[in-house]
Amino acid sequence: MLYLRRILRAPLLLLAFLWVVLEETIWHWAGLLGARIARLPVFAGLERLVLRLDPRLVLLLFLVPLLGLIPLKLAAVWLIGGGHPIKGVMLLLGAKFLGTALSAHLYAVAEPKLMQIAAFARVRNFVVALLARAHAYLDASPA
């Protein structure tokens, strides 16, 4: 078992490193895109709505990006099924990126409200601590 652990350690650390870099990069760019999208009047209204709503209702607002992108995802499946796999995959990736951007901005706006929900705060703090431990472990690992 120790032999297997020694063999797999370097490739798994490389995968973990690549995952963290990819996640941080995508989150950064999605946040920038979300900030640009937030300048649109409809999203400015959404921000004002977040400030007025009960925290539990704010949590439900995260369904908006999820449900709003279903038509794009269906169109991507239609393109793939219709013999246009590259266009379909590109549309699917674009929809995923747009959904992430919207969710990232919505989370940035809604986090203070969401932290008023005790269960949400506990889970968020646990996840943040877990990510911090993973980053610390990767930072301490020899390159």
Side-chain angles (χ1 to χ4, degrees), residues 72-96:
L72 288 176
K73 292 177 180 182
L74 290 174
V77 170
W78 180 75
L79 283 170
I80 292 169
H84 302 283
I86 294 174
K87 289 179 183 177
V89 168
M90 293 301 288
L91 180 59
L92 191 60
L93 290 174
K96 191 68 172 165

Side-chain angles (χ1 to χ4, degrees), residues 23-24 27 107 111 115 120-136:
E23 177 189 9
E24 294 291 329
W27 194 255
Y107 182 78
E111 185 181 20
M115 291 301 284
F120 180 88
R122 278 193 305 275
V123 170
R124 183 233 177 242
N125 291 338
F126 174 77
V127 169
V128 167
L130 192 62
L131 285 173
R133 286 182 59 201
H135 279 273

Side-chain angles (χ1 to χ4, degrees), residues 12-79:
L12 290 177
L13 279 174
L14 177 62
L15 284 175
F17 170 77
L18 291 174
W19 179 264
V20 167
V21 168
L22 182 65
E23 177 189 9
E24 294 291 329
T25 302
I26 289 173
W27 194 255
H28 172 73
W29 287 106
L32 293 176
L33 178 62
R36 282 189 174 218
I37 291 171
R39 293 185 195 139
L40 298 173
V42 68
F43 290 105
L46 184 65
E47 287 184 23
R48 288 190 300 274
L49 180 65
V50 164
L51 297 175
R52 289 193 320 259
L53 285 177
D54 180 77
R56 292 168 295 202
L57 292 175
V58 170
L59 193 57
L60 289 177
L61 282 178
F62 281 92
L63 292 176
V64 172
L66 178 72
L67 297 175
L69 295 175
I70 288 176
L72 288 176
K73 292 177 180 182
L74 290 174
V77 170
W78 180 75
L79 283 170

